[in-house]
Amino acid sequence: MFTVVKNGIVHAPENIGRKDILIGAGKILMISPDIDIHNSIFDYDEIDAGECLILPGFIDQHVHIAGAGGEGGPRTRTPEIGLSELTTGGITTVVGLLGFDGMTRSISDLLAKAKGLEEEGITSYIYSGTYELPTRTITGAVKSDLVLIDKVLGIGEIAISDHRSAQPTVEEMIRLAAEARIGGMIGNKAGVVHVHLGEGKNGMSLIFDSVSRSDIPITQFVPTHVNRLSGLFDEAMTFLRDGGVIDLTSGFSSKHDSPEAVEVYMGLEKIIRSGLSLERVTVSSDANGSMPVFNDSGELEKLAKGSVKPLWNDICKAIHEEVVSISTGVALITKNPAKILKLYPKKGIVSVGSDADLVIVNKESLKIEKVLAKGRLMVDNEQPLAWGTFEKQ
Ligand code: ZN
């Protein structure tokens, strides 16, 4: 079965103009100004993109797909994510991770959930590990998880500067990064160490120290949630200037979170104003993570659950505020994470030979209208067509 997507303006993420896209066996087979297969002997579907923008499928590299949380006891454990929650947010590639609770949750469970999402139609990967160090794995070692388990791209999220963290030392971080690096090399994976930054007083110093006191390349570490506080964000900009990679979390706002929180569009503006490139900057959602608020005594005050929706909303805001072009904004959740996670050019770009993961958005409002994952139409008219096994339809 072939599919032709007609009449869209393709941002690959670079704007390559009005093009038709031929899809077969889940891959992009041809991109051309006018593809006519009416006389073909093969069955085919035609999707009219009707002047909409066609973008690469979004990559969300920080989703608690199998649930997370538990900071306020068993009733505060967050649920698994449903397929349509991801696809309606434009996510066609997800990286799942565990987080705070490595006691009642396991990496095997996370891996099974990732495999389930793959069966349901999208592409999934995981980070092995939890907040703690020594961290949890499937095979007993970070290195062998990376080498032996296809879906494991890196390690994380390891928590630092957080009262929920295991308070690792520099030596422990260096050893972990070394294992991730070696495992990544042998397994031909990115082998990144995805590091959760909390609101703690030491900010990113543990990562800076790990880089300066070892031979591990700075790009092995991917600090995330760096926009949760403005002081932390300043450190992240230094890290970026030094050659590092940073991941912003969508949905942070000074109104609903800390008054010090840096909204994604503001953070991007700061980076651009400093003359730094956005190529090593990504944004992820932290969906289905718990978002606990603690008082000054460290007691849990309230708890919410993250969603994937703010991911595209925050990029749209940056585009509408004219902080970034459409191409640059889209790259933050497509091409940039694909390169950092070594998934490029299979993922993160609309090009011949790439997976047929496409997000079709209204050219004015940028609302997500259609989503294709590996060539299959998952969302149409903003509504899910494909559902997870136990989702309410
Ligand atoms: Zn986190």
Side-chain angles (χ1 to χ4, degrees):
M1 171 71 92
F2 292 89
T3 303
V4 191
V5 183
K6 298 210 56 103
N7 307 317
I9 298 147
V10 181
H11 285 256
E14 292 76 24
N15 184 354
I16 58 169
R18 195 189 170 111
K19 295 276 192 302
D20 291 350
I21 299 172
L22 176 65
I23 294 166
K27 298 274 181 189
I28 296 175
L29 303 178
M30 188 195 280
I31 302 172
S32 173
D34 187 22
I35 298 174
D36 183 2
I37 58 167
H38 283 99
N39 298 321
S40 149
I41 56 164
F42 300 105
D43 278 349
Y44 70 94
D45 276 341
E46 196 170 294
I47 294 173
D48 186 6
E51 303 282 310
C52 283
L53 307 183
I54 300 183
L55 317 174
F58 303 158
I59 299 168
D60 193 340
Q61 62 166 317
H62 192 122
V63 180
H64 297 277
I65 57 172
E71 285 93 337
R75 72 183 173 82
T76 62
R77 299 165 90 248
T78 66
E80 288 191 0
I81 204 159
L83 175 74
S84 69
E85 294 175 70
L86 293 163
T87 54
T88 51
I91 317 300
T92 55
T93 300
V94 68
V95 185
L97 74 181
L98 222 48
F100 168 68
D101 178 6
M103 281 310 299
T104 75
R105 296 184 185 277
S106 74
I107 314 295
S108 306
D109 189 36
L110 176 70
L111 178 64
K113 173 65 184 177
K115 287 186 174 189
L117 288 168
E118 188 90 38
E119 282 187 1
E120 289 172 345
I122 62 168
T123 302
S124 63
Y125 298 98
I126 63 168
Y127 296 132
S128 190
T130 56
Y131 266 22
E132 63 212 294
L133 245 182
T135 204
R136 307 278 165 164
T137 62
I138 292 177
T139 61
V142 160
K143 215 187 302 183
S144 45
D145 273 16
L146 271 160
V147 175
L148 302 176
I149 302 169
D150 289 350
K151 285 203 179 296
V152 176
L153 293 185
I155 302 305
E157 55 181 323
I158 305 296
I160 64 167
S161 293
D162 196 310
H163 60 102
R164 294 169 292 168
S165 141
Q167 317 300 325
T169 63
V170 181
E171 287 70 27
E172 285 175 315
M173 281 298 275
I174 291 175
R175 205 159 301 131
L176 175 79
E179 266 213 68
R181 176 161 181 78
I182 296 164
M185 290 164 92
I186 300 171
N188 195 20
K189 309 279 187 63
V192 291
V193 181
H194 192 78
V195 187
H196 158 110
L197 269 298
E199 295 186 358
K201 55 182 177 292
N202 293 319
M204 285 179 58
S205 58
L206 197 59
I207 305 182
F208 282 109
D209 290 350
S210 301
V211 172
S212 68
R213 287 170 51 183
S214 75
D215 297 316
I216 310 280
I218 192 169
T219 47
Q220 210 75 36
F221 298 92
V222 179
T224 187
H225 315 320
V226 295
N227 54 322
R228 69 161 78 238
L229 295 171
S230 63
L232 182 62
F233 193 74
D234 291 341
E235 279 192 275
M237 296 231 297
T238 304
F239 191 71
L240 189 61
R241 191 172 290 117
D242 290 352
V245 164
I246 60 169
D247 184 51
L248 278 58
T249 301
S250 62
F252 279 148
S253 84
S254 50
K255 216 161 142 197
H256 300 111
D257 303 287
S258 159
E260 289 280 295
V262 180
E263 257 187 75
V264 166
Y265 81 99
M266 288 177 174
L268 299 176
E269 196 168 38
K270 265 184 143 181
I271 294 168
I272 294 166
R273 243 191 287 124
S274 306
L276 293 165
S277 160
L278 290 176
E279 276 178 23
R280 278 178 284 104
V281 178
T282 59
V283 186
S284 62
S285 74
D286 203 4
N288 277 37
S290 67
M291 303 163 98
V293 178
F294 297 92
N295 62 21
D296 291 342
S297 323
E299 291 152 355
L300 183 67
E301 273 194 336
K302 57 179 180 178
L303 194 73
K305 175 172 83 71
S307 143
V308 299
K309 294 290 179 299
L311 184 69
W312 180 234
N313 287 348
D314 277 7
I315 302 295
C316 291
K317 187 160 185 186
I319 294 168
H320 284 138
E321 296 282 335
E322 296 181 0
V323 172
V324 291
S325 66
I326 293 171
S327 296
T328 306
V330 168
L332 297 164
I333 53 170
T334 58
K335 190 178 178 180
N336 298 2
K339 285 194 164 173
I340 290 158
L341 297 175
K342 260 187 135 175
L343 301 175
Y344 188 85
K346 184 174 185 260
K347 300 289 183 188
I349 184 174
V350 181
S351 79
V352 173
S354 299
D355 283 355
D357 297 338
L358 304 173
V359 175
I360 301 178
V361 302
N362 181 286
K363 71 175 172 191
E364 306 296 338
S365 67
L366 301 179
K367 258 196 179 155
I368 296 171
E369 299 205 346
K370 299 180 202 294
V371 176
L372 286 91
K374 289 181 277 186
R376 177 175 160 212
L377 191 62
M378 309 292 279
V379 174
D380 196 17
N381 294 320
E382 301 177 30
Q383 298 303 317
L385 287 186
W387 298 90
T389 310
F390 298 107
E391 278 188 306
K392 201 169 145 211
Q393 302 187 15

